[in-house]
Amino acid sequence: MTTESLNYQVAFKSLPLVAILRGVKPDEVISIAQTLFNEGYRFIEVPLNSPDALVSITKLVDTFGDKAWVGAGTVTSMKQLDDVIETGARLIVTPNTNPAIINKAVNAGCVVMPGAMTVTEAFSAIDAGAEIVKLFPGEMLTPSVVKALRAVLPANIMCIPVGGISADAEQMKGYLSAGANGFGLGSGLYRPGISSEQITLTAKEYVASWQNASEQMNTAN
């Protein structure tokens, strides 16, 4: 295991919440990311279907590249991957399982979170080098489904449901009990036009929900 890999795993276990800033604009991305960073978030993605996404990602890399894992979401082609890697980003998130993209991103030193919905897709992602599997869409992958997937996936592989995750300790606890390791947070955390006050409040609510769910899990065990 490389030092880089160890560092990201330590950060992920500390607060395994991935902030998805879909629709964010370059002129606001740093202030929003700073708010999230202050609350402990260390994984921040800008989906490529956001306005001038590469500009936002470049700004994030310049500001947080040495202290957080920032990069792109909705990466679906090799051209997109190349463009993101050129920014210096270290986080690649995909909605699907594309072994070629996963492998190239891993070899470039990125933390890769490929989307998977089935056992076959999850193992394809793992075989390509992924250490974190994005279980997507989360609305369809209930805790019972996650439990079934977790039963056959390698224990060292981390799983994060993405889609429909609320700042709700009971919901999080249900997924954690099923074997999830963290969560990707989309519109529940950030949506275009949200005020700085609201994102601060929401960021805190998600952290508190995660901590509450984790404490309940630890007590139960």
Side-chain angles (χ1 to χ4, degrees):
M1 181 180 296
T2 65
T3 301
E4 187 72 17
S5 177
L6 178 62
N7 286 343
Y8 99 73
Q9 290 198 19
V10 169
F12 188 81
K13 289 178 181 178
S14 175
L15 185 66
L17 302 179
V18 181
I20 305 168
L21 306 183
R22 189 178 303 279
V24 71
K25 296 179 180 179
D27 62 356
E28 62 184 348
V29 70
I30 296 303
S31 63
I32 292 169
Q34 186 65 60
T35 295
L36 295 170
F37 187 87
N38 291 346
E39 298 302 326
Y41 292 76
R42 294 297 181 267
F43 298 87
I44 302 173
E45 72 162 274
V46 176
L48 289 181
N49 53 7
S50 302
D52 297 316
L54 290 175
V55 176
S56 290
I57 293 167
T58 299
K59 288 188 172 187
L60 287 176
V61 170
D62 290 345
T63 306
F64 299 99
D66 60 345
K67 51 192 174 184
W69 283 264
V70 297
T74 320
V75 180
T76 59
S77 73
M78 296 298 283
K79 175 62 167 61
Q80 290 177 331
L81 176 62
D82 290 339
D83 289 343
V84 174
I85 289 175
E86 284 185 9
T87 69
R90 297 189 294 167
L91 177 64
I92 301 294
V93 184
T94 73
N96 62 330
T97 303
N98 185 321
I101 287 177
I102 297 167
N103 186 257
K104 184 169 185 177
V106 169
N107 287 334
C110 298
V111 173
V112 188
M113 301 180 182
M117 187 176 181
T118 67
V119 170
T120 298
E121 291 172 344
F123 272 102
S124 293
I126 294 166
D127 289 343
E131 296 179 344
I132 301 177
V133 176
K134 167 185 167 181
L135 300 180
F136 178 78
E139 293 92 340
M140 298 180 67
L141 297 172
T142 62
S144 60
V145 175
V146 173
K147 184 176 181 179
L149 290 169
R150 186 78 266 186
V152 297
L153 295 179
N156 65 305
I157 297 301
M158 292 173 280
C159 297
I160 58 168
V162 178
I165 305 301
S166 303
D168 181 341
E170 286 305 309
Q171 182 196 39
M172 289 185 174
K173 180 184 175 183
Y175 277 109
L176 295 177
S177 298
N181 304 97
F183 302 94
L185 312 177
S187 60
L189 174 66
Y190 171 82
R191 59 187 182 278
I194 192 172
S195 68
S196 59
E197 293 80 9
Q198 184 60 49
I199 195 168
T200 299
L201 176 62
T202 306
K204 289 179 181 292
E205 289 175 343
Y206 270 107
V207 172
S209 296
W210 161 255
Q211 292 174 338
N212 189 350
S214 298
E215 288 170 3
Q216 291 184 49
M217 288 289 295
N218 291 334
T219 300
N221 295 330

